[in-house]
Amino acid sequence: MPKAMPANILVLNGPNLNMLGLREPAVYGHETLADVNAAIQARADELGAEVECRQSNHEGELVTWIQQARGEKTAIIINAGAYSHTSIAIPDALRAAEVPVYEVHLSNIYQRESFRHHSYISDLATGVICGLGLDGYLYALNSAAKLSD
Ligand code: DHK
């Protein structure tokens, strides 16, 4: 049987997630994005997975990075922030990338305003995790790394 590709996972954070730690800590927690990325890298090292963490406030930049993942990455973990609820271009790019997708939200979007209850990404995702803060990315990473075992 051909050997699976080693895990090579892209972690994308969308708009305003560069403000973690400062932004509404009661909702998003006290960890900064650097803290989140360090925890992801540490878990990836334990799992023997390659990981690349990127953040952008620009929809088109996220789309470009998703396109570039096609044939290169074994999974994408994405917290598209507010674009989860508004963007068609991001889910279109995720479908075109043909890479398993995990959707993460730090907060429980279903306990919040109704406009956050729908995500255009959820129906194409392998898994959706919300409300578990930083741990959500780590649970997604555990699962994404297993796809390459
Ligand atoms: C992050 C955001 O920036 C919001 O726009 C989403 C998500 C929720 C989160 O919980 O991580 O509605």
Side-chain angles (χ1 to χ4, degrees), residues 62-138:
L62 293 162
V63 166
T64 297
W65 292 339
I66 293 165
Q67 291 176 359
Q68 289 167 351
R70 188 185 159 100
E72 296 294 322
K73 302 293 181 184
T74 57
I76 297 174
I77 297 171
I78 183 164
N79 181 351
Y83 289 145
S84 314
H85 319 300
T86 62
S87 172
I88 306 297
I90 289 173
D92 277 356
L94 290 167
R95 285 194 185 86
E98 295 185 3
V99 170
V101 172
Y102 293 80
E103 179 181 16
V104 173
H105 298 284
L106 293 150
S107 64
N108 182 343
I109 55 176
Y110 302 103
Q111 287 176 343
R112 302 183 62 195
E113 305 96 319
S114 58
F115 61 81
R116 296 185 202 275
H117 295 181
H118 178 260
S119 161
Y120 287 101
I121 296 170
S122 302
D123 66 343
L124 66 87
T126 298
V128 180
I129 301 171
C130 78
L132 302 180
L134 155 54
D135 283 346
Y137 293 92
L138 305 182

Side-chain angles (χ1 to χ4, degrees), residues 34-53:
D35 297 332
V36 170
N37 290 344
I40 291 169
Q41 186 61 62
R43 178 61 57 86
D45 292 347
E46 286 166 17
L47 294 166
E50 283 293 316
V51 75
E52 181 183 13
C53 297

